[in-house]
Amino acid sequence: GDSVTQMEGPVTLSEEAFLTINCTYTATGYPSLFWYVQYPGEGLQLLLKATKADDKGSNKGFEATYRKETTSFHLEKGSVQVSDSAVYFCALWNNAGNMLTFGGGTRLMVKP
Amino acid sequence: NAGVTQTPKFRVLKTGQSMTLLCAQDMNHEYMYWYRQDPGMGLRLIHYSVGEGTTAKGEVPDGYNVSRLKKQNFLLGLESAAPSQTSVYFCASSKAFQASHTFGSGTRLTVV
C-alpha cells in the first residue's frame, strides 16, 4: 500500500536559519503530494501542494518540488521565523486508494 | 465563515461507554472525513462520506460508526469505548474527492 516517510523530529533551529524537512513516498501511479501544517491546539492547514512530477508548490516562503525519480517532496524555507514553530505533515493522495495517506509528522521548533 | 466545527473539544469516557462526536461544515462540501491522530503515526482515516446519505470505511474503521443524514453534518459514534480509542479525532471536508482538505480543530478523547 501507499506510505509516506518523514524525518523524525523535533527539528530545532534558530531564527533565520534554513529549513529542510525530508519526505519520501511509496505509491503506485501518479499521486498528488501535499504539505500540511498544524499549529499548537489547532487542526491541520494546507501549506502547499503539487499534482504532477517536477511541479513546485510554494506558500508563505515554503517550497517543495515533486521529484518522481527520487519519490521525494522535501519541504524547504530559506529563513524560518519563530511563528513557523509547528508540526509539519507530508501527505499523498492516490486515486487508486481514494484516501490521503499521511506521514508521521515532524515537529519544528524555532528559537529567537 | 466558521469552516469545520467539531464538538466537543475534550471528553473523558469510561471503558464501555458510548458517545457521538459531531462535525459540521458550512462550505457546502460534498466530501467529509473522520481521522484519528496518534503520536508518531500521522493521521489515519476512520470513515468518510462522498455525499449526504453515504458512508464508507477507511483505514481503521473497527469500533466506530458514522452517519451523514445531512450534507453539512458528519457524526462519528463509539458504541463501546476502549482505551485503544484514546486519541485526537479530526474531522475534515473537501470540495472534490482529491482536493485539499479543510480540518476542524480536533476532539481530544481519553478512555479510562
Side-chain angles (χ1 to χ4, degrees), chain A residues 35-37 45-49 58-60 62 75 88:
Chain A
W35 277 101
Y36 282 84
V37 58
Q45 304 173 25
L46 177 67
L47 182 59
L48 53 84
K49 67 178 182 180
S58 61
N59 186 26
K60 299 180 180 180
F62 291 89
L75 183 68
Y88 293 82

Side-chain angles (χ1 to χ4, degrees), chain A residues 32 34 36 38 41-44 46 89 93 95 98-100 102-104, chain B residues 33 35 37 40-43 45 48 59 90 97-98 100-101 103-105:
Chain A
S32 296
F34 304 83
Y36 282 84
Q38 183 180 29
E42 299 183 10
L44 281 71
L46 177 67
F89 291 92
W93 178 278
N95 284 336
N98 285 337
M99 58 185 283
L100 264 180
F102 286 87
Chain B
Y33 316 83
Y35 292 88
Q37 182 182 30
M41 300 185 72
L43 277 72
L45 183 65
Y48 64 96
E59 185 183 2
F90 287 99
F97 205 26
Q98 66 176 105
S100 56
H101 288 17
F103 283 85
S105 58

Side-chain angles (χ1 to χ4, degrees), chain A residues 5-56:
Chain A
T5 303
Q6 292 180 233
M7 58 190 296
E8 289 193 21
V11 174
T12 303
L13 296 173
S14 297
E15 206 164 22
E16 298 184 1
F18 185 85
L19 168 71
T20 300
I21 299 178
N22 290 337
C23 171
T24 57
Y25 68 90
T26 301
T28 56
Y30 302 92
S32 296
L33 301 174
F34 304 83
W35 277 101
Y36 282 84
V37 58
Q38 183 180 29
Y39 298 103
E42 299 183 10
L44 281 71
Q45 304 173 25
L46 177 67
L47 182 59
L48 53 84
K49 67 178 182 180
T51 58
K52 60 182 186 296
D54 299 325
D55 268 2
K56 177 185 284 187

Side-chain angles (χ1 to χ4, degrees), chain A residues 44-102:
Chain A
L44 281 71
Q45 304 173 25
L46 177 67
L47 182 59
L48 53 84
K49 67 178 182 180
T51 58
K52 60 182 186 296
D54 299 325
D55 268 2
K56 177 185 284 187
S58 61
N59 186 26
K60 299 180 180 180
F62 291 89
E63 293 183 341
T65 301
Y66 188 162
R67 301 288 189 197
K68 189 165 177 62
E69 64 275 13
T70 55
T71 61
S72 64
F73 193 53
H74 304 322
L75 183 68
E76 297 181 335
K77 187 176 185 183
S79 176
V80 294
Q81 306 299 313
V82 172
S83 57
D84 293 327
S85 297
V87 181
Y88 293 82
F89 291 92
C90 185
L92 71 83
W93 178 278
N94 192 333
N95 284 336
N98 285 337
M99 58 185 283
L100 264 180
T101 300
F102 286 87

Side-chain angles (χ1 to χ4, degrees), chain B residues 45-101:
Chain B
L45 183 65
I46 304 171
H47 286 281
Y48 64 96
S49 168
V50 301
E52 182 178 321
T54 73
T55 63
K57 294 181 180 179
E59 185 183 2
V60 289
D62 294 342
Y64 305 95
N65 57 76
V66 288
S67 64
R68 183 100 181 269
L69 298 180
K70 293 182 179 180
K71 185 177 183 178
Q72 64 267 34
N73 295 336
F74 195 30
L75 279 62
L76 177 71
L78 286 73
E79 292 185 345
S80 179
S84 61
Q85 294 178 304
T86 293
S87 187
V88 181
Y89 292 86
F90 287 99
C91 177
S93 69
S94 66
K95 190 173 183 179
F97 205 26
Q98 66 176 105
S100 56
H101 288 17

Side-chain angles (χ1 to χ4, degrees), chain B residues 12-16 82-83 86 110-112:
Chain B
V12 179
L13 285 180
K14 294 182 179 179
T15 298
T86 293
T110 302
V111 183
V112 298

